[in-house]
Every structure is written in structure tokens, then in C-alpha cells.
Amino acid sequence: QVQLVESGGGSVQAGGTLRLSCASSGFTYRSQCMGWFRQAPEKEREGVAGIGSDGSTIYADSVKGRFTISRDNAKNTLYLQMNSLKPEDTALYYCAAAQALWGCRRSLERTTYNYWGQGTQVTVSS
């Protein structure tokens, strides 16, 4: 059974940095694509960053140049480095994953992923 556990959220001032982590376990196929999503109160969950099984990445326009997604396959951990944080980045951040036998493409679409973590809160004050 796939499990995803996020950590690293917190409260920071605008301009600050945070690094989120997502520890994963239980994959049975060798190819995984993973992503970070966020959901602010009364808003829909949106894709922030995604990484394919080939290591290619994709970002939402709102975070390009500020956020970086990466993965350490040896540690089974996904990261999201968030720099120059803004109050509008405040949200509950979720880690998501999908697995495939022959490769999995980077994606910001919720329908790509079928495994989700519980979320970690990020609050940015002005």
C-alpha cells in the first residue's frame, strides 16, 4: 500500500523560505511521477509542481522561478523548495503520486495521481 507523508510546513513572513518533504513507501512499480498540490480555504486544489519518472519537471505559472521540485530516489523522498514566499502561497500543501510500469509523465492535473498525503500547512504573513 502506497503511503505519502508530508512534513516541513510552517509559518513564515513574506519573502521567507520553506522546504517541504514527502516520504513515500509501498510502490510496486518502478516508475513513479509525483507532484505537489495546494488548497487554500474556499478554493479548489491546484497543481503547483510535478516531476515525471524521467526527472522532467513542470510548474504552475504562479510559482515559476520561486519553487523547485526535486526527488531523492535513494531516500524515497520528494521535496519542494519554496523561496520568496508570498501571502497568496498560504495553503494546505499535498504530496501526490502515481506509479506505472513503463514511465509516468510530469503533470499538474489532479486526475494523474491516485495516491495522496494528508497535507502540511504553509502560512505566509505579510
Side-chain angles (χ1 to χ4, degrees):
Q1 183 177 355
V2 175
Q3 289 190 324
L4 304 173
V5 180
E6 303 97 334
S7 62
S11 297
V12 297
Q13 290 191 327
T17 65
L18 282 173
R19 188 175 81 156
L20 306 184
S21 299
C22 172
S24 63
S25 61
F27 290 116
T28 53
Y29 293 151
R30 62 179 183 179
S31 295
Q32 299 98 37
C33 52
M34 301 188 75
W36 289 98
F37 286 73
R38 67 187 181 187
Q39 188 166 16
E42 301 183 356
K43 289 190 176 181
E44 298 222 349
R45 192 174 299 189
E46 62 173 353
V48 173
I51 185 166
S53 57
D54 63 352
S56 61
T57 58
I58 187 171
Y59 296 92
D61 288 343
S62 59
V63 307
K64 279 182 183 176
R66 299 189 298 122
F67 290 11
T68 303
I69 188 171
S70 62
R71 65 197 301 175
D72 185 331
N73 291 328
K75 295 183 178 179
N76 294 322
T77 302
L78 179 74
Y79 301 100
L80 185 68
Q81 178 68 41
M82 304 187 294
N83 299 330
S84 302
L85 282 161
K86 303 176 181 180
E88 50 263 44
D89 295 319
T90 295
L92 189 61
Y93 282 71
Y94 296 91
C95 171
Q99 56 180 342
L101 189 59
W102 297 113
C104 185
R105 295 188 64 182
R106 62 189 187 181
S107 174
L108 296 179
E109 299 296 326
R110 291 179 60 179
T111 54
T112 297
Y113 303 98
N114 41 21
Y115 304 106
W116 294 84
Q118 293 301 306
T120 185
Q121 179 67 36
V122 172
T123 302
V124 184
S125 58
S126 57

